[in-house]
Amino acid sequence: RSTLFPYTTLFRSKELIYKIFITCIYVLIEKDYDLLQVLADHQIKKNNDRLRKRIRVMGEGCIFNGTVYMSDPDYVVVGNNVHIGDHAYFKTAGGLTIGDNTHISRNVTIYTQNHNYQGSRLPYDDNAIHKAVIIEENVWIGMNVSIAPGVHVGKGAIIGIGTVVASDIPPFSIVGLPKYRIIKSRDIDH
């Protein structure tokens, strides 16, 4: 008994510590979900701070509200007082300019590059076609908007929820989601 006693006591204390630890984790998950959210928010903030440092020109007073992805921040210019919502996804190798006082809601997608569908293979080849997107100042872009490569959004424009923007928007225009239409046909012989 005397030779086993220290080991069994040590084993029981490790087992007890483990049970206490697991109980604490369950309590945190069940009763204090806020702590886990704080940790997740901290990681998002850290990632956004790293992204801000990589953006070519970053204005003052800009706010990233949640996860923001930019594929090539070296090609991005962001003005002053720009707000970008959660789950923004910007493919920016073709260049992206966002003017002062622009507010971009959540789930917005902006592409500045496209596949070459007229290349050597179908449906497209390995070459990318780059076209800059320019968003002037005082623009409001609603939730779930998608902006195609080469688009120029004029100052003061408002783009309504769910709109797919494939052509330029004049200054101070308000655009919304129309029903779909065929925009072009592919070359059948290609």
Side-chain angles (χ1 to χ4, degrees):
R1 176 176 157 91
S2 64
T3 57
L4 291 178
F5 181 73
Y7 295 111
T8 53
T9 304
L10 180 64
F11 176 73
R12 285 185 183 149
S13 62
K14 280 186 177 180
E15 189 176 277
L16 179 63
I17 291 170
Y18 177 75
K19 285 181 180 179
I20 292 170
F21 175 75
I22 294 299
T23 303
C24 289
I25 294 297
Y26 280 119
V27 167
L28 284 174
I29 290 171
E30 290 176 0
K31 299 201 177 185
D32 199 359
Y33 175 76
D34 291 341
L35 177 62
L36 296 176
Q37 188 61 47
V38 166
L39 294 173
D41 291 346
H42 175 72
Q43 186 61 43
I44 290 169
K45 183 182 179 320
K46 206 164 123 181
N47 291 344
N48 286 342
D49 288 344
R50 270 190 242 134
L51 177 63
R52 286 170 180 275
K53 291 176 184 168
R54 294 185 55 217
I55 292 173
R56 184 173 57 178
V57 176
M58 185 72 191
E60 298 293 322
C62 297
I63 297 173
F64 292 176
N65 293 315
T67 305
V68 176
Y69 171 78
M70 293 182 188
S71 63
D72 298 276
D74 305 347
Y75 298 104
V76 176
V77 174
V78 178
N80 297 316
N81 190 37
V82 170
H83 294 223
I84 299 176
D86 197 17
H87 299 295
Y89 185 90
F90 302 160
K91 204 74 164 145
T92 57
L96 173 62
T97 301
I98 303 172
D100 294 343
N101 305 312
T102 292
H103 289 222
I104 299 172
S105 188
R106 63 186 176 273
N107 302 325
V108 171
T109 305
I110 299 174
Y111 269 77
T112 66
Q113 66 186 54
N114 204 348
H115 299 290
N116 183 12
Y117 67 88
Q118 294 178 320
S120 59
R121 290 194 312 259
L122 289 176
Y124 52 83
D125 64 19
D126 294 333
N127 298 314
I129 299 170
H130 297 102
K131 294 180 181 177
V133 170
I134 298 170
I135 301 168
E136 292 186 7
E137 66 272 3
N138 302 312
V139 172
W140 176 17
I141 300 174
M143 182 174 58
N144 295 325
V145 168
S146 294
I147 299 177
V151 166
H152 186 125
V153 179
K155 66 181 172 180
I158 298 174
I159 304 171
I161 188 172
T163 303
V164 176
V165 181
S167 59
D168 293 349
I169 297 176
F172 303 104
S173 298
I174 300 173
V175 297
L177 183 66
K179 70 178 202 174
Y180 82 91
R181 64 182 174 86
I182 297 172
I183 57 171
K184 193 174 182 179
S185 295
R186 291 185 70 168
D187 180 5
I188 296 172
D189 296 329
H190 180 68

